[in-house]
Amino acid sequence: PLLMQSSNDAAKILSSFIGEGVFVSNMNAKATSLQMADTQFADASGISAGNISTAYDISKLLQYIYYKRPFLFDISKGVAFESAGIVKIGDVIKVNNLKNVNEFIDEPDLIGVKNGETSAAKQTMATVWNIHAPQGDVPMAIVVLGSENRKNDTSILLQWLKENFIVL
């Protein structure tokens, strides 16, 4: 639910296992380890106006996920998993009953997506796409912050990339 629906309740539940303060401290430590110098987390769900970041820092997180935790992108697109390690998925919440509110999940070139919206940040979206080049596919991140229409803004940037990206 956290990756597919941006569920604030899911964030609270996940953070409750060790306490939200420790959880947020761990989030900030991870951001530091990824050299996300302009990122600060204030709560687990992202609702607080104290949660700040930049498109550049978010691109570092997307790169980390792409290379180290790609299953998170699969989940964001709604790929069903029967288990995650020793944890059986679907015992409490039927995974097939979860509605995915992420845009672009049916696009074949989408690698992963996460959207959000708060009054302070407006609409946000972080996506990673396969951009086709003669030398092969190249993963490209598009990060939209402070948007009035994140889907449209992402579409415009994606179209520009497809028309103008050249591998040298």
Side-chain angles (χ1 to χ4, degrees), residues 1-167:
L2 185 62
L3 294 173
M4 292 172 51
Q5 298 179 336
S6 202
S7 169
N8 298 327
D9 290 336
K12 287 179 185 176
I13 291 167
L14 287 172
S15 68
S16 72
F17 290 102
I18 59 173
E20 186 171 22
V22 173
F23 192 85
V24 171
S25 177
N26 288 344
M27 290 170 60
N28 283 316
K30 183 52 126 181
T32 299
S33 77
L34 296 175
Q35 299 179 355
M36 296 170 63
D38 296 313
T39 296
Q40 181 66 42
F41 297 107
D43 65 37
S45 65
I47 292 176
S48 169
N51 293 296
I52 58 169
S53 193
T54 63
Y56 181 65
D57 277 5
I58 292 169
S59 72
K60 290 179 181 182
L61 178 60
L62 293 173
Q63 184 177 29
Y64 170 79
I65 294 169
Y66 181 83
Y67 287 108
K68 302 289 188 181
R69 304 286 188 266
F71 69 93
L72 295 173
F73 286 147
D74 292 337
I75 293 170
S76 76
K77 294 189 311 181
V79 174
F81 289 89
E82 294 299 318
S83 64
I86 62 170
V87 178
K88 182 166 174 26
I89 306 292
D91 284 343
V92 178
I93 299 172
K94 297 295 182 194
V95 175
N96 58 351
N97 291 342
L98 292 175
K99 182 178 183 224
N100 194 333
V101 299
N102 288 322
E103 293 91 342
F104 304 110
I105 59 172
D106 294 323
E107 293 290 326
D109 292 332
L110 180 70
I111 296 172
V113 56
K114 177 64 179 83
N115 67 29
E117 183 172 1
T118 66
S119 55
K122 298 184 181 178
Q123 292 186 12
T124 61
M125 182 178 287
T127 55
V128 178
W129 300 87
N130 269 324
I131 302 298
H132 306 292
Q135 297 87 342
D137 289 350
V138 179
M140 297 290 282
I142 298 175
V143 179
V144 173
L145 304 174
S147 176
E148 298 293 332
N149 187 334
R150 64 183 173 228
K151 184 176 182 182
N152 187 59
D153 292 345
T154 300
S155 293
I156 291 168
L157 291 167
L158 178 61
Q159 189 60 39
W160 185 91
L161 269 175
K162 287 180 176 182
E163 292 172 0
N164 295 286
F165 181 73
I166 299 171
V167 177

